[in-house]
Amino acid sequence: MIEIHNLTKNFGMKPVLRGVNLTVERGEFVALMGPNGAGKTTLLRIVASLTRPTLGRVRVNSFDLPAHADSVRRVLGVVSHHTLLYGDLTAEENLRFYGQLYSVENLSKRIDDVLNQVGLSKRRHDLVRSFSRGMAQRLSIGRAVLHSPDVMLFDEPHTGLDQEASAMLDKLLKSVAAQGRSVLMISHDLPRSLQLADRVTILSHGKIAYDSPTKNLSLADFAKTYNELAQ
Amino acid sequence: MKSYLQAILAIAHKDLAAEIRSRELVSAMLVFSLLVVLIFNFALDLDKSARENVAAGVLWVTFTFAGTLGLNRTFAAEKDRGSLDGLLLAPVDRTAIYFGKLISTLVFMLLVEAVVLPVFTVLYGISLFNILLFGVILLGTFGYGGVGTLLACMAAQTRTRDVMLPILLFPVTVPVMLGAVRASTGILANAEWGEILTWINILVVYDVIFVAVAVMVFDYLIEE
């Protein structure tokens, strides 16, 4: 579960987030949308413990940030548009490396399971630099779920993927969310967010300007609201 | 403690495995250091006694220049491909990243030094195969790599990271260079043990202090 209360972040004198309040319940999939520069990635980086907040309270699974950053990192899986993978290592070596950093038990078995889950078992001994963008992104999701985190953060995971790879990634995202995890995903893709998420929120000028369940929300209404708020 | 050591070894192993595949860093360091040795050999067209006097200086200039090349990529490569976040997201003490990177840097530097030493011996006509000299090289390399890894992390956060590292590193490593050159010169000239020991002590103290400083400040340096 993610709880964000009155979160403010300034870079120097420039405010990026101005009192953001947002909660992602256990098992809930929330899509965070907004124009470029709205502060989405900054918000995600703060929840991921990579950036310190200026003011406000952020809790992940009841652990406060930044005070209990180590405990938060243990329950967090992050997928960004950077895959965080090493091109000169094989798929299996990449997972083994991250598994050792997270002290994953029965690592070899867990690597087998994860490679099966992301459909890359046959490519386990191939160098990641030989992978297509779609395959690397699937492996990146495998890396992020390797330590069985309760909370998943996705920062524009569909960036640079073609239709087929995006559809495959959607399937994977659904299966990740279906396992009872709290998911917060940044996206610019309105139809896809409506299809995947339980709730959509719009961040505009550093504040949550819109928050609605996706059930009974039509794409046309949402697109209209988004365009109004994004200006 | 087990997971801490496991993380250190995992990071070092990952860097070494990637380097074995790509052979980018060590080969560049090696070619560069051999060129430096060659250039000095031709530039300083000296007689035998003069060569003995400058040999240690040339050797350490070669090691430090090659080391800087390697150090420059230690964190910059992670930053450039975005994988530094992957390390920072791991639930391990940040100093594990420092020690993992330090180990891989030391392995790269020592590998290059192991090739340079025999070449240097042939070109300069001075035998460098001396256990005591090897000890000084280990201490000097450890000190230079220890400070360098810390400052490489700092430089990687800046836009001018390629030029920033030498500017930060060379002034801070003056004591380790002084100690290493003087101790090496003493060993090559068969100087009094007491004279050599003074410089070895300086190297040991420098190594201990700067690794301690690194442990204390690395957490702050690596965060945004």
Side-chain angles (χ1 to χ4, degrees):
Chain A
M1 182 179 180
I2 304 169
E3 300 161 274
I4 300 168
H5 296 290
N6 209 19
L7 176 64
T8 300
K9 176 67 185 179
N10 299 335
F11 285 118
M13 297 296 283
K14 190 186 168 201
V16 178
L17 299 173
R18 309 159 190 248
V20 171
N21 290 293
L22 180 69
T23 302
V24 182
E25 299 289 346
R26 188 170 181 83
E28 191 179 29
F29 193 134
V30 175
L32 180 67
M33 318 195 73
N36 291 331
K40 302 183 298 295
T41 298
T42 302
L43 176 62
L44 202 87
R45 289 182 68 81
I46 289 172
V47 177
S49 78
L50 291 171
T51 301
R52 286 170 186 260
T54 305
L55 280 173
R57 187 178 192 193
V58 181
R59 301 183 88 196
V60 178
N61 271 15
S62 305
F63 295 116
D64 277 304
L65 278 172
H68 298 105
D70 263 9
S71 302
V72 169
R73 288 179 196 129
R74 216 166 276 284
V75 298
L76 208 64
V78 180
V79 176
S80 73
H81 35 257
H82 289 300
T83 60
L84 312 186
L85 299 170
Y86 295 90
D88 290 318
L89 301 184
T90 65
E92 184 179 336
E93 286 169 343
N94 267 286
L95 293 184
R96 190 166 295 283
F97 169 60
Y98 280 105
Q100 286 168 341
L101 289 187
Y102 283 86
S103 300
V104 175
E105 287 179 7
N106 298 323
L107 185 55
S108 296
K109 168 85 170 60
R110 183 71 189 135
I111 289 171
D112 290 346
D113 293 345
V114 166
L115 284 172
N116 271 330
Q117 193 184 349
V118 298
L120 291 170
S121 287
K122 287 180 182 169
R123 302 293 301 268
R124 64 188 302 151
H125 298 302
D126 291 353
L127 294 183
V128 167
R129 66 170 178 234
S130 71
F131 283 13
S132 67
R133 168 78 188 156
M135 286 164 66
Q137 195 64 319
R138 273 154 53 204
L139 184 62
S140 177
I141 293 177
R143 171 196 56 73
V145 300
L146 187 69
H147 57 291
S148 308
D150 294 331
V151 177
M152 293 290 300
L153 305 176
F154 293 94
D155 187 1
E156 299 180 40
H158 297 88
T159 303
L161 299 187
D162 60 24
Q163 290 298 316
E164 194 186 346
S166 289
M168 199 177 275
L169 188 63
D170 286 350
K171 246 190 225 173
L172 205 53
L173 288 176
K174 278 180 187 167
S175 75
V176 165
Q179 289 159 7
R181 295 186 169 106
S182 307
V183 179
L184 180 61
M185 179 181 80
I186 290 178
S187 178
H188 287 288
D189 191 329
L190 273 57
R192 178 162 277 121
S193 297
L194 275 185
Q195 185 202 338
L196 289 170
D198 303 310
R199 249 170 67 215
V200 282
T201 60
I202 299 174
L203 190 68
S204 179
H205 303 292
K207 284 185 169 179
I208 298 288
Y210 180 82
D211 189 339
S212 167
T214 51
K215 202 176 177 183
N216 302 325
L217 181 63
S218 75
L219 179 59
D221 288 345
F222 183 48
K224 190 179 165 205
T225 308
Y226 181 85
N227 288 332
E228 282 170 8
L229 292 171
Q231 282 171 9
Chain B
M1 191 62 187
K2 190 186 163 202
S3 63
Y4 181 73
L5 291 176
Q6 182 174 277
I8 292 174
L9 293 178
I11 292 167
H13 180 263
K14 179 264 296 175
D15 282 349
L16 297 176
E19 180 57 26
I20 287 168
R21 299 257 165 71
S22 68
R23 293 189 193 118
E24 284 172 0
L25 202 57
V26 172
S27 54
M29 288 166 71
L30 195 57
V31 170
F32 182 79
S33 51
L34 291 176
L35 284 172
V36 172
V37 170
L38 263 177
I39 289 167
F40 270 117
N41 186 44
F42 292 124
L44 306 173
D45 194 13
L46 305 169
D47 57 38
K48 193 172 183 298
S49 67
R51 279 186 181 211
E52 280 171 1
N53 289 333
V54 299
V58 172
L59 191 67
W60 279 102
V61 165
T62 308
F63 290 166
T64 53
F65 282 5
T68 309
L69 265 189
L71 285 164
N72 235 338
R73 296 306 298 160
T74 310
F75 285 97
E78 301 272 4
K79 190 91 178 166
D80 290 346
R81 62 176 163 241
S83 51
L84 188 59
D85 281 352
L87 297 179
L88 295 178
L89 282 166
V92 289
D93 193 289
R94 305 284 207 229
T95 54
I97 301 173
Y98 170 78
F99 284 115
K101 289 288 179 188
L102 175 58
I103 289 172
S104 56
T105 300
L106 290 178
V107 171
F108 297 152
M109 286 182 72
L110 290 171
L111 265 176
V112 170
E113 288 166 4
V115 177
V116 167
L117 282 176
V119 175
F120 194 96
T121 300
V122 171
L123 283 176
Y124 287 75
I126 301 164
S127 176
L128 300 175
F129 291 91
N130 180 314
I131 291 289
L132 205 51
L133 183 64
F134 290 164
V136 169
I137 288 173
L138 272 178
L139 282 174
T141 304
F142 184 80
Y144 191 76
V147 182
T149 305
L150 182 69
L151 296 181
C153 168
M154 194 194 280
Q157 315 286 352
T158 66
R159 283 182 198 169
T160 52
R161 59 184 71 132
D162 291 338
V163 290
M164 191 55 76
L165 180 63
I167 291 170
L168 291 171
L169 184 58
F170 290 156
V172 182
T173 51
V174 165
V176 79
M177 283 307 102
L178 195 65
V181 170
R182 290 296 181 92
S184 305
T185 305
I187 291 165
L188 292 176
N190 292 319
E192 293 279 320
W193 169 242
E195 193 185 319
I196 298 167
L197 192 62
T198 306
W199 296 109
I200 290 178
N201 285 340
I202 288 174
L203 278 176
V204 172
V205 170
Y206 183 94
D207 289 2
V208 171
I209 288 175
F210 270 91
V211 170
V213 168
V215 169
M216 286 189 277
V217 302
F218 189 75
D219 209 9
Y220 300 98
L221 287 182
I222 202 162
E223 285 201 2
E224 277 182 2

